[in-house]
DNA sequence: GCATGATCATGC
DNA sequence: GCATGATCATGC
């Protein structure tokens, strides 16, 4: 999918800049439509900082500068792009430190922390983190995170102390003795090699040029926090007064009866409508989650399910579960079966209503749901029948939708050749249990 | 390469 | 229009 560069954002407004930047997530610079590329900009080599320059100039339409003011000065926002890499175990880590402004030895000794250059330029940063891959052109790096980062709280205190330490050393005429090991989060890293040495106050010894930076380990902690915030439901802080359930439900309340376009507009999101996971993504966005999983639901073992109702109120589809293994079921009892475990869980149903024109879809309601005891007993019947058929070598003939009010069995495979062995050694297409659409309809109407 | 959630296709 | 079989899309 392409995204389009239109500069349709307000340079004075942090939220607007952030929304515009967010469109980059999961995209590459090369994949942006309307990106002008003149010969001189064409990426013959991956010169350092090329990604950042290109991003600023062509995506945001701001000139490269080395001002002491933030890139978006009216918004007080500094733009920083930085490389991250994927480790072998799948975790993400910073490729290198994030370099902030150059330290001017002559003037910094007169600064105070509160009004320092460092803070006024970098207090609020918009981080664009792209996945670095060796041998790839920078135009093909995939943007993984776009996040606002503010120097605040405990971090700010540690950074202040680091800053004071560095400045104290410079005041003492020891700029040439600065070392990254001196400090914790904020480092004074070497910057430039050929630029040579700079004069420093209170000493005749020349010192290598240095810049403030967020040290690599600190960048890693930033990444960790961004990852946590992406899969965590926003503002669950009122938990003391309200139940978890009601907080979640309230998140959805403003969107009742809104069609999905309007919901997206209000959320400021641009999801791919064609994706099969569109509605699940939309539901997560409503909760303020951009990651694939919702941390709170994972912990509480809640299973979120999307249901789309046809115009007549009938779910468009039955609800599937993971496929089962014939041989495994034959040796299990209902109580230790996967199906029982799945049905015992708490569900979170997010229901959308299709209009007569099926393109018109609005959010109807969301609710937590447990399968009622009597229906669990029905499911047990289906499961027992399934087991009996499998054990007796009739795995082809499992309970059909018409045979039970609650659930049935039917194929769930990649295609008809995606098979698995039955008890009598035959290969049969993978199947799973399904909840009947008619049963789901009842449950939705009841809640 | 496969599991999983979700959806499509077709015949009655 | 539904039941049933078949398949897609995504992420790990």
């Amino acid at each position: 999918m392409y995204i389009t560069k239109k500069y349709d954002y307000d340079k004075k407004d942090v939220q607007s800049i952030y929304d515009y930047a967010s469109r980059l997530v999961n995209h590459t610079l090369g994949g942006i439509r309307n990106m002008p590329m003149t010969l001189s900009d064409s990426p013959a080599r991956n010169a350092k900082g090329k990604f950042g320059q290109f991003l600023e100039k062509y995506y945001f339409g701001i000139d490269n500068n080395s001002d002491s003011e933030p890139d978006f000065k009216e918004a007080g926002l500094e733009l920083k792009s930085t490389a991250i890499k994927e480790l072998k175990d799948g975790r993400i880590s910073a490729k290198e430190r994030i370099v902030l402004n150059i330290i001017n030895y002559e003037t910094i000794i007169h600064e105070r922390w509160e009004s320092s250059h460092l803070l006024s330029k970098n207090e609020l940063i918009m981080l664009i983190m792209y996945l670095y891959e060796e041998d790839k052109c920078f135009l093909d790096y995939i943007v993984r995170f776009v996040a606002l980062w503010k120097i605040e709280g405990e971090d700010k205190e540690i950074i202040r102390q680091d800053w004071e330490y560095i400045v104290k050393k410079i005041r003492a005429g020891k700029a040439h003795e600065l070392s990254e090991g001196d400090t914790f989060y904020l480092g004074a890293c070497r910057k430039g090699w050929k630029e040579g040495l700079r004069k420093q106050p209170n000493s005749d010894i020349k010192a290598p040029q240095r810049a403030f930076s967020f040290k690599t380990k600190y960048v890693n902690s930033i990444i960790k926090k961004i990852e946590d915030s992406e899969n965590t439901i926003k503002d669950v802080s009122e938990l003391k007064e309200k139940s978890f359930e009601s907080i979640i439900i309230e998140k959805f309340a403003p969107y009742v009866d809104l069609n999905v376009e309007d919901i997206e507009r209000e959320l400021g999101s641009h999801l791919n409508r064609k994706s099969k996971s569109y509605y699940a993504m939309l539901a997560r966005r409503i909760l303020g989650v951009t990651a694939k999983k919702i941390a709170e639901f994972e912990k509480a073992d809640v299973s979120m399910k999307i249901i789309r109702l046809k115009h007549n109120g009938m779910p468009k589809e039955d609800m599937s579960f993971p496929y089962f293994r014939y041989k495994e079921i034959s040796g299990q009892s209902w109580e230790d079966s996967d199906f029982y475990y799945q049905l015992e869980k708490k569900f979170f149903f997010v229901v959308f209503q299709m209009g007569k024109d099926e393109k018109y879809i609005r959010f109807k309601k969301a609710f937590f749901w447990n399968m009622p005891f009597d229906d669990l007993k029905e499911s047990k019947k289906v499961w027992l029948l399934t087991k009996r058929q499998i054990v007796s070598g009739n795995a082809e003939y499992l309970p059909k939708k018409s045979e039970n009010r609650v659930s049935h069995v039917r194929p769930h495979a990649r295609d008809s050749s995606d098979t698995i062995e039955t008890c009598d050694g035959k290969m049969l297409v993978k199947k799973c249990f399904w909840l009947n659409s008619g049963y789901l309809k009842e449950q939705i109407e009841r809640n």
Side-chain angles (χ1 to χ4, degrees), chain A residues 275-293:
Chain A
S275 166
K276 278 195 173 182
S277 51
Y278 174 78
Y279 299 96
M281 287 194 281
L282 191 62
R284 287 195 291 268
R285 286 297 168 94
I286 289 173
L287 292 171
V289 174
T290 47
K292 180 92 177 76
K293 292 191 169 172

Side-chain angles (χ1 to χ4, degrees), chain A residues 98-159:
Chain A
I98 294 177
V99 178
L100 308 167
N101 53 312
I102 296 223
I103 304 173
N104 183 329
Y105 299 134
E106 302 287 343
T107 58
I108 198 169
I109 57 170
H110 307 299
E111 289 185 13
R112 286 170 46 247
W113 163 250
E114 290 76 16
S115 55
S116 63
H117 270 114
L118 174 83
L119 204 55
S120 58
K121 186 170 161 75
N122 301 297
E123 189 162 22
L124 185 61
I125 298 176
M126 186 168 64
L127 291 167
I128 312 253
M129 296 183 154
Y130 56 87
L131 213 50
Y132 170 85
E133 287 173 76
E134 226 178 326
D135 307 326
K136 237 186 186 184
C137 168
F138 75 92
L139 287 170
D140 297 322
Y141 294 153
I142 297 163
V143 174
R144 179 71 185 77
F145 300 113
V146 171
L148 293 171
W149 186 258
K150 190 165 190 218
I151 300 180
E152 62 185 352
E154 269 179 40
D155 288 11
K156 186 173 185 176
E157 187 52 30
I158 291 170
I159 290 168

Side-chain angles (χ1 to χ4, degrees), chain A residues 58-296:
Chain A
Y58 293 122
Y59 187 70
F60 288 102
I62 53 182
D63 295 326
N64 292 333
N65 68 65
S66 46
D67 285 0
S68 57
E69 287 174 316
D71 295 314
F72 299 101
K73 52 176 173 248
E74 295 98 333
L77 180 66
E78 175 70 2
L79 176 65
K80 284 271 173 230
S81 53
T82 188
I84 54 177
K85 59 184 181 181
E86 200 172 342
L87 305 177
K88 278 182 190 139
D89 61 8
R91 285 180 306 138
I92 298 283
S93 89
K95 182 165 175 281
E96 43 213 326
R97 56 175 86 72
I98 294 177
V99 178
L100 308 167
N101 53 312
I102 296 223
I103 304 173
N104 183 329
Y105 299 134
E106 302 287 343
T107 58
I108 198 169
I109 57 170
H110 307 299
E111 289 185 13
R112 286 170 46 247
W113 163 250
E114 290 76 16
S115 55
S116 63
H117 270 114
L118 174 83
L119 204 55
S120 58
K121 186 170 161 75
N122 301 297
E123 189 162 22
L124 185 61
I125 298 176
M126 186 168 64
L127 291 167
I128 312 253
M129 296 183 154
Y130 56 87
L131 213 50
Y132 170 85
E133 287 173 76
E134 226 178 326
D135 307 326
K136 237 186 186 184
C137 168
F138 75 92
L139 287 170
D140 297 322
Y141 294 153
I142 297 163
V143 174
R144 179 71 185 77
F145 300 113
V146 171
L148 293 171
W149 186 258
K150 190 165 190 218
I151 300 180
E152 62 185 352
E154 269 179 40
D155 288 11
K156 186 173 185 176
E157 187 52 30
I158 291 170
I159 290 168
R160 182 186 67 79
Q161 288 176 15
D162 287 343
W163 184 88
E164 302 280 11
Y165 187 93
I166 291 164
V167 174
K168 198 170 116 193
K169 219 164 169 176
I170 299 167
R171 284 193 185 120
K174 291 183 175 172
H176 57 289
E177 290 181 17
L178 284 171
S179 151
E180 285 193 80
D182 289 347
T183 49
F184 298 95
Y185 291 176
L186 187 70
C189 67
R190 292 281 291 260
K191 168 102 176 167
W193 195 235
K194 304 250 158 54
E195 281 79 355
L197 302 169
R198 290 176 71 133
K199 282 201 290 186
Q200 61 166 316
N202 303 327
S203 171
D204 293 333
I205 306 170
K206 292 203 171 167
Q209 173 167 284
R210 286 181 183 268
F212 285 118
S213 72
F214 288 152
K215 298 170 77 165
T216 311
K217 284 205 171 149
Y218 182 56
V219 180
N220 280 330
S221 83
I222 293 175
I223 292 172
K224 184 85 174 44
K225 280 197 182 152
I226 294 172
E227 285 181 322
D228 286 348
S229 77
E230 287 200 341
N231 69 10
T232 305
I233 297 168
K234 296 288 169 288
D235 316 316
V236 270
S237 48
E238 328 98 285
L239 212 51
K240 279 179 191 142
E241 300 100 71
K242 297 176 199 159
S243 72
F244 178 64
E245 293 202 359
S246 60
I247 292 169
I248 304 297
I249 302 297
E250 277 174 30
K251 298 264 174 213
F252 283 86
Y255 304 102
V256 170
D257 282 337
L258 254 60
N259 69 50
V260 292
E261 285 91 358
D262 291 337
I263 295 175
E264 279 217 70
R265 195 171 306 125
E266 296 222 350
L267 291 170
S269 67
H270 300 268
L271 301 171
N272 179 10
R273 185 84 192 256
K274 289 197 190 96
S275 166
K276 278 195 173 182
S277 51
Y278 174 78
Y279 299 96
M281 287 194 281
L282 191 62
R284 287 195 291 268
R285 286 297 168 94
I286 289 173
L287 292 171
V289 174
T290 47
K292 180 92 177 76
K293 292 191 169 172
I294 301 170
E296 288 86 346

Side-chain angles (χ1 to χ4, degrees), chain A residues 322-336:
Chain A
Y323 78 90
F324 56 70
R325 289 143 183 92
Y326 301 106
K327 287 174 144 178
E328 207 171 277
I329 281 200
S330 68
Q332 280 175 332
S333 67
W334 165 244
E335 281 74 18
D336 53 39

